[in-house]
Amino acid sequence: MRIGLYGGTFNPIHMGHLRAAEEVREAMGLDLVYFIPAGTPPHKVDGELALAEHRLEMVRLATKNNPYFMISDFEVRRAERSYTIDTLRFFLSSLRQRTEWFLMMGIDAFAELDTWKAADELTTLCNLVVHTRDSGDNLGVSENALGSIKRFQYTKADDHYTNPNGRELYLVKTTYIPVSATAIRRAARLGRSIRYLVPLEVADYISRQRLYRREVTDRDQR
Ligand code: ATP
């Protein structure tokens, strides 16, 4: 089995996440992709974070019609802060059969990998698949991302990279849909339409649950 692990805040999940995951799945021949919403993410603590159960439910709604897409509540169930390294250790120890694991992330996340807890261990435990923006230049690989390649000692091998532990790094060019969760939250807060930026069921859920609708301030209006 080849399994992808795709973590994120998913606050909310949107078409950019979904399309990237679908293209990575196809390009890498993955049998399954687990979407893993973060509990209390170490990098993002602010008032705009929807409750973990809402974010989990939105991921469930968004992925339910794709047989390759699974969800994991591992991080949202944990009382402690969730770090990717803990999630990875959990998944790696959970299945006995031979499984190849691929940790999936966007190029912006990869560029900041050095700031993640136990990042070195992470790259020795698991392969990485980084989806890059098809911007026509250099695979969309920024200076910072090149820094991560060097920092974690990946060297080029055919169509991918390997590190001294034999773990692989793949850069997969995906269609970049310029949607951001931040912009979606803002639109929802202002009562504007978010249809077609997120799956319909997710737009309905956000509207029904009145997510991201805290009082609109003068600053928001500008
Ligand atoms: P925010 O706007 O709240 O920072 P975000 O989507 O950047 O939201 P996450 O939900 O944590 O934050 O992102 C999960 C993963 O999705 C990351 O690896 C990120 O690189 C990737 N990602 C974010 N936006 C897009 C997009 N439009 N297309 C493809 N991948 C994306």
Side-chain angles (χ1 to χ4, degrees):
M1 288 274 269
R2 290 161 69 82
I3 302 184
L5 301 174
Y6 192 25
T9 325
F10 301 128
N11 184 40
I13 189 165
H14 57 61
M15 293 306 194
H17 300 133
L18 290 160
R19 185 64 206 171
E22 179 69 353
E23 290 190 24
V24 165
R25 177 196 69 71
E26 203 169 34
M28 297 298 299
L30 302 180
D31 298 292
L32 293 174
V33 172
Y34 276 91
F35 285 72
I36 313 167
T40 310
H43 293 111
K44 298 188 181 183
V45 180
D46 65 46
E48 287 197 348
L49 188 61
L51 288 176
E53 48 264 47
H54 285 313
R55 290 182 289 108
L56 185 68
E57 178 60 10
M58 290 189 280
V59 173
R60 193 190 68 74
L61 290 168
T63 57
K64 67 177 184 192
N65 293 322
N66 187 328
Y68 296 102
F69 287 178
M70 314 294 282
I71 56 172
S72 165
D73 64 357
F74 174 76
E75 294 196 4
V76 305
R77 268 192 293 108
R78 278 165 63 99
E80 320 88 87
R81 283 183 152 202
S82 47
Y83 290 96
T84 304
I85 186 69
D86 305 319
T87 309
L88 200 56
R89 286 194 197 117
F90 166 76
F91 272 92
L92 264 57
S93 64
S94 66
L95 286 181
R96 250 179 275 141
Q97 77 220 62
R98 263 185 73 79
T99 302
E100 275 187 273
W101 298 96
F102 297 87
L103 186 64
M104 297 162 54
M105 67 186 77
I107 190 83
D108 50 343
F110 178 66
E112 292 179 358
L113 190 60
D114 200 23
T115 65
W116 293 22
K117 185 182 165 194
D120 284 298
E121 189 186 344
L122 209 123
T123 60
T124 64
L125 284 180
C126 186
N127 305 309
L128 303 189
V129 191
V130 174
H131 54 87
T132 69
R133 302 176 182 188
D134 186 359
S135 54
D137 59 334
N138 199 20
L139 254 175
V141 181
S142 64
E143 280 300 314
N144 286 350
L146 289 174
S148 282
I149 290 176
K150 225 167 126 189
R151 157 75 182 80
F152 294 100
Q153 300 178 57
Y154 287 106
T155 52
K156 193 96 177 87
D158 304 324
D159 63 339
H160 63 280
Y161 295 79
T162 53
N163 68 15
N165 293 282
R167 298 294 176 203
E168 297 167 346
L169 162 70
Y170 293 83
L171 302 182
V172 176
K173 196 154 72 169
T174 55
T175 309
Y176 180 65
I177 304 177
V179 195
S180 86
T182 307
I184 292 168
R185 290 194 299 274
R186 184 168 191 276
R189 185 166 69 240
L190 297 172
R192 293 188 189 142
S193 168
I194 55 167
R195 281 185 142 207
Y196 315 117
L197 299 175
V198 298
L200 190 57
E201 293 94 331
V202 174
D204 285 347
Y205 187 86
I206 289 172
S207 156
R208 254 197 337 272
Q209 298 287 337
R210 299 187 60 77
L211 300 184
Y212 313 118
R213 288 299 290 267
R214 70 167 169 73
E215 231 163 79
V216 178
T217 63
D218 285 349
R219 208 173 115 247
D220 290 328
Q221 299 278 22
R222 269 180 255 139

